[in-house]
Amino acid sequence: MSELSEEIRREVGQHFVFGFHGHDIGDDITKLISQYYLGNVILMKRNIRDVEQVHGLIQKLQRIAKDAGHERPLMIGIDQENGLVSAFSTEECGTQFPGAMAVAASGSTDLAEKVAYGSASEMRIAGINWDYSPVADVNSDPRNPVIGVRSFGDDPQEVARYVSAVSKGLTEARVAPSAKHFPGHGNTHVDSHLSLPRIMASKETLAATELVPFKALVEDQVATIMTGHMALPMITGDDTPCSLSREITTDLLRKEMHYEGLIVTDCLEMEAVAENYGSEGGAVLALQAGADVVMICHTLGRQQGAIEKTYSAISDGSLSILSLKDSGRRVAALKTQFASTWDEVLSSSIDMDEWTALKHRNAYLARSAYEASTTVLRDGEDTLPLSPSSGSILVLTPRMESINLAVDDADGVLRDGQGRLRNTAGPSYNAFAAAVSQRTSIQHVVYGPGEEVPNDLLRSASSIVFATRNGFDKGSWQVDCLRSLLKVLHEKPLVVVSTCAPYDVLDFEDFPGAVLSTMEFTVSALETAVKVIFGETEGKGRIPVHLL
């Protein structure tokens, strides 16, 4: 391979977004920015501690880029969908807002826009200028293990309204949105983190459902769109992942839908790509397909390998440097709009008074949003509200299980190195039980598959609060446990709280009690549910999906 010029190597670096490990700058990310001219960085939850630390970290990243001769500042991205995927939300950093399905349960696109603007305003202060949100997938399959409550619902037109609102809110706060996962990850029950989903949809079916939200976003001139790792063999003729397919990336999105913004891939370390193509080979294929920026989040060897493979593809002519430079103009335009100038970026500082005031406003907005989203599906026997003075409450929460790699903690908090559960209740459900205990005496029991509730606890309880988490399909053991409980309930008041996708409770037609849905098991959502249970606030939401 002939040595590529520095100009070409600088061009190549602008077409990647990489992640790194730690709360501070290390040699790996320094090398990627200064020697490989990496133009874009993704921050993960593992990089976030508090806002001052994040701001300082980003300042260091930008200084490395400036010193390495980058023409424009870095795009600094993050997965801040809100709800269960909230990399920026920690006690000392961003506000926890409700996620997509919870926001849609409020029935208010105005609220969706305000939440996006509020969240983006915090990110912008820290130096983040790119948010991999909104999720534009239509959750057509209730068994979907990776989208679920990350979607705004199962009605394409409604999803389109909400993603447009979120995109507008982010853009107004000068954070670039990235609608995902084109052309739609909702109609599958396979998790692309683990293997390749095959969606047997025709182009007509796709146009009537999955593409509807993306068409609205293209009309809105959304800044960026993220391609997903699913196969559409009835459209492409094979099992090539959409993120690596020219038929999808260029022919469909660019030519047929007339999208002129930037296209970024989902992370190429996901097994849907890595298993058959490798992250390195996948990177070249994605660029050949027409992607502007390729994402690799975790592994230095794969990141360096992807750039080296791109060098080789340019040298042997399999990747056109002219098309790459044409693509580079879209990267430059994105940076001009959202990354600002070097003077602005490197002179920025945090006004902690401004930050505190913003956090105060956002805390009020978040409380209002969670109250608007919490849904009482039914209460035919007037079970609600429970009385704190009526006696001890038995709180039953499900044993923690992995949801998917987008939601699960990636740093081993949920499970140890041998895959054993560290805490069978989990922090959210412990907070849920603690919120109930602040109002009355309780017994908190974590239930698992096939386990029976001790009779002595049932007899001593004045009422029962039973939580489910995705008790549909693979999680149906939770509903089985609930039905067993109903046989020995002895007419005690029962409140069921569905704490994730609400499909497990939508068919409870003859249920003898109250049924609530939070659509996420964040601490904020579950604490709001407790307020509804005790009549301190109303559950005003409505479920934005149907049982298929």
Side-chain angles (χ1 to χ4, degrees):
M1 181 181 78
S2 59
E3 184 69 24
L4 297 180
S5 67
E6 180 178 310
E7 178 192 2
I8 291 178
R9 288 188 292 116
R10 285 185 180 275
E11 179 64 51
V12 169
Q14 295 301 306
H15 297 272
F16 288 89
V17 53
F18 292 158
F20 65 101
H21 295 263
H23 290 143
D24 206 347
I25 302 301
D27 293 341
D28 292 352
I29 191 64
T30 299
K31 180 178 181 180
L32 290 169
I33 295 171
S34 60
Q35 296 182 30
Y36 287 94
Y37 306 114
L38 175 68
N40 315 280
V41 173
I42 178 173
L43 300 183
M44 314 292 285
K45 208 170 188 72
R46 65 190 179 219
N47 305 121
I48 307 297
R49 187 176 62 229
D50 57 66
V51 68
E52 291 177 293
Q53 170 263 329
V54 173
H55 180 268
L57 180 71
I58 292 173
Q59 284 285 292
K60 291 176 184 177
L61 291 169
Q62 296 288 17
R63 174 53 64 184
I64 292 168
K66 178 69 165 60
D67 291 345
H70 286 231
E71 185 176 346
R72 294 176 178 82
L74 304 169
M75 290 299 295
I76 306 290
I78 197 166
D79 272 323
Q80 183 68 14
E81 301 170 11
N82 292 317
L84 296 177
V85 181
S86 297
F88 190 63
S89 299
T90 68
E91 188 172 338
E92 302 297 327
C93 209
T95 300
Q96 178 67 64
F97 285 106
M101 193 171 288
V103 168
S106 74
S108 172
T109 55
D110 181 59
L111 179 62
E113 182 179 337
K114 288 178 179 177
V115 164
Y117 182 85
S119 185
S121 297
E122 294 178 350
M123 288 186 276
R124 188 73 197 188
I125 285 177
I128 296 167
N129 51 32
W130 196 2
D131 185 14
Y132 305 115
S133 175
V135 172
D137 304 306
V138 179
N139 201 62
S140 305
D141 190 335
R143 300 168 297 169
N144 197 313
V146 67
I147 303 302
V149 296
R150 298 168 64 198
S151 165
F152 288 97
D154 58 13
D155 183 317
Q157 300 296 337
E158 284 295 295
V159 173
R161 292 176 61 237
Y162 281 95
V163 295
S164 292
V166 171
S167 176
K168 182 179 179 182
L170 292 170
T171 303
E172 287 182 348
R174 296 181 64 211
V175 172
S178 189
K180 59 189 184 186
H181 308 79
F182 186 84
H185 204 317
N187 192 20
T188 179
H189 59 277
V190 176
D191 185 349
S192 54
H193 290 92
L194 306 177
S195 58
L196 178 68
R198 297 177 78 246
I199 300 175
M200 303 306 292
S202 66
K203 184 171 285 190
E204 291 74 22
T205 300
L206 201 71
T209 307
E210 276 75 22
L211 294 185
V212 171
F214 289 103
K215 286 179 178 177
L217 289 161
V218 169
E219 291 174 4
D220 292 342
Q221 298 181 318
V222 66
T224 76
I225 288 177
M226 179 183 288
T227 50
H229 308 321
M230 70 293 292
L232 291 169
M234 292 181 66
I235 297 175
T236 64
D238 58 26
D239 283 347
T240 302
C242 292
S243 53
L244 314 185
S245 169
R246 191 165 184 85
E247 287 87 349
I248 299 297
T249 305
T250 294
D251 294 347
L252 177 58
L253 184 52
R254 285 272 184 238
K255 294 180 179 178
E256 292 186 35
M257 297 179 65
H258 308 292
Y259 180 59
E260 297 179 354
L262 182 139
I263 299 173
V264 58
T265 71
D266 205 346
C267 178
L268 297 189
E269 292 194 67
M270 294 164 65
E271 289 302 319
V273 169
E275 183 178 18
N276 292 321
Y277 305 92
S279 304
E280 302 87 344
V284 173
L285 290 171
L287 293 171
Q288 290 172 334
D292 300 303
V293 175
V294 169
M295 180 184 292
I296 303 177
C297 294
H298 308 291
T299 309
L300 177 65
R302 287 176 165 178
Q303 293 165 346
Q304 289 177 306
I307 290 183
E308 297 287 353
K309 278 267 192 184
T310 304
Y311 292 165
S312 298
I314 293 171
S315 293
D316 67 24
S318 59
L319 179 62
S320 165
I321 187 59
L322 293 179
S323 66
L324 203 63
K325 287 183 176 181
D326 185 55
S327 169
R329 284 188 276 274
R330 286 187 285 272
V331 179
L334 182 74
K335 291 189 170 191
T336 297
Q337 183 176 0
F338 292 100
S340 306
T341 64
W342 281 120
D343 286 344
E344 182 180 349
V345 166
L346 295 177
S347 64
S348 74
S349 60
I350 294 184
D351 182 331
M352 291 308 295
D353 290 337
E354 177 189 356
W355 173 258
T356 301
L358 175 60
K359 286 281 288 182
H360 181 75
R361 294 194 301 272
N362 280 347
Y364 176 80
L365 176 61
R367 284 194 300 272
S368 301
Y370 276 109
E371 290 175 3
S373 67
T374 305
T375 301
V376 178
L377 277 80
R378 59 185 55 88
D379 185 18
E381 298 184 358
D382 295 326
T383 302
L384 298 177
L386 297 183
S387 171
S389 61
S390 62
S392 179
I393 293 178
L394 176 58
V395 177
L396 294 158
T397 61
R399 187 186 70 186
M400 290 298 291
E401 293 180 317
S402 294
I403 301 297
N404 61 67
L405 292 179
V407 171
D408 295 341
D409 185 272
D411 294 323
V413 174
L414 178 62
R415 295 179 180 271
D416 64 17
Q418 286 74 48
R420 297 171 300 196
L421 292 161
R422 292 182 183 274
N423 185 328
T424 54
S428 295
Y429 294 105
N430 280 333
F432 178 59
V436 179
S437 70
Q438 289 170 6
R439 292 158 173 86
T440 188
S441 61
I442 74 161
Q443 290 286 341
H444 179 201
V445 173
V446 178
Y447 68 93
E451 297 176 359
E452 294 186 359
V453 180
N455 282 327
D456 59 330
L457 294 180
L458 282 174
R459 284 194 299 268
S460 63
S462 65
S463 53
I464 298 167
V465 174
F466 189 99
T468 64
R469 182 196 58 251
N470 280 358
F472 185 83
D473 194 33
K474 293 180 181 178
S476 60
W477 59 268
Q478 299 167 54
V479 176
D480 292 341
C481 184
L482 175 60
R483 296 196 185 282
S484 297
L485 178 64
L486 289 174
K487 296 176 183 178
V488 294
L489 193 58
H490 306 305
E491 298 184 353
K492 296 190 180 201
L494 172 64
V495 179
V496 173
V497 184
S498 173
T499 67
C500 202
Y503 301 104
D504 46 354
V505 293
L506 292 185
D507 63 345
F508 281 13
E509 295 295 340
D510 55 351
F511 183 78
V515 181
L516 279 67
S517 180
T518 63
M519 283 148 287
E520 62 185 55
F521 52 93
T522 58
V523 171
S524 298
L526 297 185
E527 289 180 341
T528 304
V530 172
K531 293 180 182 179
V532 173
I533 289 170
F534 287 97
E536 297 164 18
T537 189
E538 296 181 57
K540 304 174 184 176
R542 57 159 180 78
I543 299 296
V545 295
H546 305 84
L547 185 63
L548 302 184

